[in-house]
């Protein structure tokens, strides 16, 4: 969203400035919060500003909570630069420079190489974005290579067959198991401590038999994790697929 004639900024107590932008296609009032860019509200073309402002007032607590979460996440992200020693399972990240104006990514021979322009600053959001994207491709390759096979091994070991497995980039869930036992695994499992990614795989396998989180589910999962199911589940809360 670019500031323009359509944007009006209004100051709210406890929230600070909120930018209102009218959109021809907007059907409802929508609030979005982006790190470093503040609070934006899109509203339909002819909706009175007062109505949108009232909506913001009503959502004040949510906005404050949500913004804090987003900014914490943003602050927890890795800052990538030439001096950072960053390693995925099979790849080492290398950031180097060339005289062209483009950002180039090559992944091969155990290396994720991101080549940025001579003049570029690593703190530039475009550079950070390109590196994150490259790392993500590396993780996806590794996830697709290892996770399905690992799931199969555990499935055989515990005699819990599943119908199929897919690897996805999900923002919130580490894994899921459908009604008909199709298991989906988050590619970000590949960067978790091994005991936690294993826990998620076992958790989803357990759902092939127990479709909810009632006691029978936890009993079975405890048998598979040496009685540590709940503890592992809590430990997993310290990680988010979005934060890396
Ligand atoms: Zn579950």
């Amino acid at each position: 969203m670019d500031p323009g004639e359509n944007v009006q900024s209004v100051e709210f107590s406890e929230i600070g400035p909120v930018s209102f932008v009218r959109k021809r296609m907007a059907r409802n009032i929508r609030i979005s919060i982006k790190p470093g860019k503040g609070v934006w509200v899109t509203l339909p073309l002819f909706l009175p500003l007062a109505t949108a402002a009232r909506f913001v007032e009503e959502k004040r607590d949510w906005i404050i909570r949500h913004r804090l979460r987003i900014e914490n996440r943003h602050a927890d992200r890795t800052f990538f630069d030439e001096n950072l020693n960053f390693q995925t399972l099979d790849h080492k990240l290398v950031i180097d420079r060339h005289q062209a104006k483009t950002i180039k990514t090559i992944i091969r021979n155990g290396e994720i190489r991101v080549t940025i322009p001579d003049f570029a600053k690593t703190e530039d959001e475009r550079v950070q974005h390109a590196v994150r994207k490259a790392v993500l491709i590396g993780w996806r390759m590794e996830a697709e290579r290892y996770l399905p096979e690992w799931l199969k091994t555990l499935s055989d070991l515990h005699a819990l067959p599943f119908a199929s497995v897919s690897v996805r980039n999900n923002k919130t869930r580490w894994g899921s198991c459908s009604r008909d036992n199709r298991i989906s695994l988050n590619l970000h499992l590949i960067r978790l401590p091994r005991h936690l990614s294993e826990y998620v795989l076992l958790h989803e396998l357990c759902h092939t038999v127990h479709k909810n989180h009632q006691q029978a589910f936890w009993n079975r999962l405890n048998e598979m994790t040496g009685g540590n199911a709940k503890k592992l589940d809590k430990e997993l809360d310290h990680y988010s697929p979005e934060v890396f």
Side-chain angles (χ1 to χ4, degrees), residues 154-165:
L154 292 171
S155 155
D156 291 345
L157 184 68
H158 295 280
L160 292 170
F162 57 95
S164 68
V165 56

Side-chain angles (χ1 to χ4, degrees), residues 203-204 207 213 217:
H203 183 119
E204 299 315 331
H207 276 316
H213 291 120
F217 168 85

Side-chain angles (χ1 to χ4, degrees), residues 43-76:
L43 59 147
L45 214 48
F46 300 109
L47 191 88
L49 187 68
T51 307
R54 207 156 49 234
F55 186 73
V56 170
E57 298 275 4
E58 281 164 17
K59 297 276 180 191
R60 175 181 281 121
D61 288 348
W62 178 85
I63 291 171
I64 292 166
R65 251 191 353 257
H66 193 61
R67 178 169 59 189
L68 192 67
R69 218 178 82 217
I70 284 179
E71 273 162 10
N72 282 343
R73 264 184 202 174
H74 196 69
D76 284 345

